[in-house]
Amino acid sequence: ILHADVSEAAGRSNRIKIILVTIFLWTLLGMLVFYTDEGIDGMGNAFYFSFVSLTTIGLGDQFPTHIGTQLFFYLFAAVGLGLVVTLISLVEMLLNDLEKARKAALERARKLAVEKAEQARRKMMAMASTSSSRESETETGTARARSTATKITEKHAAKRFFSMVVSDPSQSVSG
């Protein structure tokens, strides 16, 4: 899904470039017409008039006076405004696509982090379980060793006592 959004955003990016070039060329066409037909002082002023008219700033300091140039101006403004609106719309869609892609990437990263945390938790639980079983095995082994040592000590003490009693009957325990 994200790949489609990115490629769609790339397509919009290309369309934005095309629209920008078209607007620039359209402004140059207006500049040439207004410079040649209206006699606006200098190409800079003609470009200024074209740009200000196209972006709807329209300060009113210059305007076409010839009928032919006025008709061209209506067409120039209508087409130019359509291009500007298209540019604004494409930029807005591109920004929305990029925001969706960012949110999708953020969601994927969040899910991955949750997965990794869950794996780490399971691993810790397994290690704790193994460790506690080892501890219980160790405790059981220690208890067995103590029991065996106690039995050996008891047997040894009994043998000593028995050997003392048998070898010296006077030390017998009598009540």
Side-chain angles (χ1 to χ4, degrees), residues 15-71:
R15 284 184 263 165
I16 288 172
K17 291 174 188 172
I18 292 168
I19 290 293
L20 281 172
V21 168
T22 306
I23 288 172
F24 181 73
L25 292 175
W26 191 249
T27 305
L28 287 179
L29 174 68
M31 177 185 79
L32 289 173
V33 169
F34 296 126
Y35 177 74
T36 56
D37 289 354
E38 282 295 319
I40 294 179
D41 292 344
M43 292 291 253
N45 284 337
F47 180 79
Y48 159 79
F49 176 71
S50 297
F51 183 78
V52 166
S53 299
L54 204 58
T55 56
T56 68
I57 297 171
L59 299 175
D61 56 341
Q62 295 179 353
F63 51 88
T65 54
H66 298 102
I67 298 292
T69 315
Q70 288 175 348
L71 292 174

Side-chain angles (χ1 to χ4, degrees), residues 19-145:
I19 290 293
L20 281 172
V21 168
T22 306
I23 288 172
F24 181 73
L25 292 175
W26 191 249
T27 305
L28 287 179
L29 174 68
M31 177 185 79
L32 289 173
V33 169
F34 296 126
Y35 177 74
T36 56
D37 289 354
E38 282 295 319
I40 294 179
D41 292 344
M43 292 291 253
N45 284 337
F47 180 79
Y48 159 79
F49 176 71
S50 297
F51 183 78
V52 166
S53 299
L54 204 58
T55 56
T56 68
I57 297 171
L59 299 175
D61 56 341
Q62 295 179 353
F63 51 88
T65 54
H66 298 102
I67 298 292
T69 315
Q70 288 175 348
L71 292 174
F72 172 78
F73 179 73
Y74 297 140
L75 176 68
F76 174 78
V79 172
L81 289 175
L83 290 171
V84 170
V85 168
T86 302
L87 175 67
I88 291 170
S89 177
L90 285 172
V91 168
E92 186 252 343
M93 285 188 266
L94 177 69
L95 293 175
N96 283 340
D97 288 347
L98 293 175
E99 179 65 16
K100 286 177 188 176
R102 185 193 67 81
K103 285 181 180 181
L106 189 63
E107 182 62 23
R108 275 197 328 275
R110 187 192 68 77
K111 284 180 181 179
L112 183 62
V114 167
E115 259 180 38
K116 290 213 182 247
E118 183 62 26
Q119 288 173 354
R121 186 189 67 77
R122 278 192 234 119
K123 189 174 183 178
M124 293 292 287
M125 295 296 288
M127 289 173 63
S129 172
T130 304
S131 175
S132 70
S133 69
R134 283 184 187 158
E135 286 174 8
S136 71
E137 288 173 6
T138 304
E139 289 171 9
T140 304
T142 304
R144 279 191 211 133

